[in-house]
Amino acid sequence: MVEEKKEAKKEVKKELPISEVTTCKSTAQMLRKAAEDGVETAFHRAMEMKACPIGADSACCKHCAMGPCRLSSKNPYEKTGVCGATIDTIASRNFARMVACGTASHTDHGMTMLEVFRGVIRGEIPDYQIKDEQKLRDVAASIGIEVEGRGVKEVAEDLYHELEKTYTQVEGEIPFTKRVPKKTLEKWRELGIVPRGAMREIMEIMHRSHMGVDQDYENMVKQCSRTALADGWGGAMVATEISDILFGTPTPVVAGVDMGNLEEGKVNIIVHGHEPNLFESIIASVNDPKLLEEAKAAGAAGINLLGMCCSGAEVLSRHGVPHAGNFMSVEPVLITGAVDAMAVDVQCIQQALAPLSKCYGTRFFTTNPRAKIEGADHVEFHENRPRECTDKVVRMAIERFKSRPAKVVIPQNKSLGVHGFSHEYVNYMLGGSFRSSYVPLNDNIINGRIRGVAGVVGCTNPRVRQDYVHVELVKELIKNDILVVQTGCSQIALAKAGLMKPDAAVLAGDGLREVCETVGMPPVLGLGSCVDNSRILIACAEMVRTGGLGESIADLPVAGAAPEWMSEKAIAIGQYFVASGVFTVFGVTFPTITETKFHKLLFEGLEKQGLGKWGFAVDPYEMARLMIDHINKKREALGIMAARERKLFDMADRQKLEAESA
Ligand code: XCC
């Protein structure tokens, strides 16, 4: 092994208790191989590095050089920072910066999509086209743009200008607030939390969290909501809608998930990150006859393209491209030795991937000018000539295939499931093509077959057993007749567990099972990547608009969870769901101290203001109980609890009726 490869290896001190850190069979197998190969992963680093307890409670402040100041988690009001900042100021300021960073990540991603859209409609980017004209018209009409009798270009140009306001507008309300249910929007206006434009809100939150500015935690939380809403109903929603317009709105597709999708005899290429542009171009590259010929000449049976994390979840939904695993499986997949190249763009790319890929001779490429990694090869991706980058990645992968330096071990686990449930398809699926609507969903919630709907989303995290909380929580929810919608790494956890198949309906309660069997859908619906959480917001708005379940999102019998979260983006997502009116439960840890006023505002006060609220539980069954209790509480308030208790009309009822009428 060459010198630099040796450097990438670290001495692994303690033995990793593999069955305690993951329930993913492929990841476990690769962690055993890691021990043989003498390489380390985030699981090892998390075991060796205890999380900082003061940071975990958000009881430290490093916003100026009079500190950093540390307060006591046990006695949070005992002292203040040097400037006098209380625990509520410090924790709310830290929280605000997490929201700002998460929002910035999604909105910057959305802005890239919007720039590509502009380039496409102005003829500057010939490699992409508008694939879904109907979606273009629907999105435009939803924000008041005239579409009748107008050409695609005209509508697209107006849509571009309108959506640009999501970012640049300094006064007024961002465009997608037109999709928000009236009562929810009125509440936001009353509280002063309607976002003006993402750049303004992020700028303001950064200003307000500077030393000596906003030192009232309630005021700070308002700006957290305003900023987060500029993510969910702003940047993230733009990213989803523009991706659908350019690359096609997902419809259900059967696809495989897990490391068993790697193929030893083919050139294996993985794309990992978040922006679909790179992935769409690499799909074109791997299907290029010339490159396929080059792969064949190198002795390969073909080129095998897989996704990981969110860009993987997005193309899994949109095109049925196989998915190799979620966030905590990215290092383990390199340990297979089967990955010839990995191309990454932005977000959730662990720095450790660069040295680890060297250990296995995998060609590792960064592609985005925003996200370079020391030690990685940078092949810049330009939207107006995307194939320059992606053809090169494919060629480098073929080179590596020719002389694979490491032994290849591919875990033989592969789970087929149905993915790609956009909110448009849910509409069609439940209502049928002639009466597509959310009426059947609302009816089934009102009559109690479906108790409610839960969004289970988000990351995996080496501080908890990988996939375990996601899978157990979702099983418990569907058992209790709660329809589950999913995005991101959580969706991949459930896909590996086999719950994305229609026959998983046997695990659901009687009511949900009946609906799933009638429609032929799984009880767990995968919607795509993290920005596609915006599909859940739109579905909630549709449920309100359809009627019978209250007047605002806060009235709906719904709940959300990110059971194994780790990123600041997850906090932004959680805050926009809470501000939209949804009870949202997080696991792992939560950056507050329970006894503080700031904590009480997030976990109780916001609901009293008419919004949603935060919840916290580590145990999946406790988490499910919190969500079910909340959904029951909402059913009670809507006066539909009795319907749920009523016995459903079954075969015995029919026989009785027939006997009576005979
Ligand atoms: Fe996964 Fe999006 Fe979380 Fe990253 S943040 S770990 S869901 S890849 Ni969305």
Side-chain angles (χ1 to χ4, degrees), residues 102 124 169 180-181 216-218 230 243 263 273 290 307 331 350 398 435 460 488 538 550 558 595 611 623 637 642:
E124 295 152 10
Q169 188 170 266
V180 178
D216 175 334
Y217 67 98
E218 287 189 77
S243 300
E263 293 183 59
K290 212 163 141 247
E331 285 176 290
Q350 296 187 61
I398 295 170
R435 54 187 182 97
T460 51
I538 299 170
V558 300
E595 301 74 36
L611 306 175
M623 201 176 275

Side-chain angles (χ1 to χ4, degrees), residues 167-203:
Y167 305 92
T168 55
Q169 188 170 266
V170 292
E171 268 185 335
E173 299 177 346
I174 54 170
F176 282 137
T177 49
K178 295 195 178 72
R179 291 173 157 188
V180 178
K182 195 166 159 265
K183 209 175 144 203
T184 303
L185 186 57
E186 276 167 9
K187 177 53 71 183
W188 294 355
R189 285 178 180 149
E190 179 195 316
L191 295 171
I193 59 170
V194 187
R196 294 158 289 186
M199 286 175 178
R200 174 133 205 202
E201 304 313 345
I202 294 164
M203 180 172 67

Side-chain angles (χ1 to χ4, degrees), residues 478-503:
I478 62 169
K479 199 165 95 189
N480 282 280
D481 292 315
I482 293 172
L483 176 67
V484 174
V485 291
Q486 291 215 280
T487 62
C489 291
S490 183
Q491 176 176 334
I492 305 308
L494 270 296
K496 283 187 284 179
L499 269 81
M500 296 280 172
K501 303 172 190 169
D503 55 14

Side-chain angles (χ1 to χ4, degrees), residues 442-498:
N442 281 24
D443 280 354
N444 278 306
I445 292 174
I446 293 164
N447 70 29
R449 284 187 181 86
I450 298 176
R451 188 192 298 258
V453 181
V456 180
V457 306
C459 329
T460 51
N461 182 324
R463 300 283 172 199
V464 294
R465 201 173 170 208
Q466 184 193 7
D467 297 344
Y468 169 76
V469 196
H470 289 294
V471 173
E472 293 308 309
L473 169 64
V474 171
K475 280 188 182 164
E476 198 61 19
L477 292 172
I478 62 169
K479 199 165 95 189
N480 282 280
D481 292 315
I482 293 172
L483 176 67
V484 174
V485 291
Q486 291 215 280
T487 62
C489 291
S490 183
Q491 176 176 334
I492 305 308
L494 270 296
K496 283 187 284 179

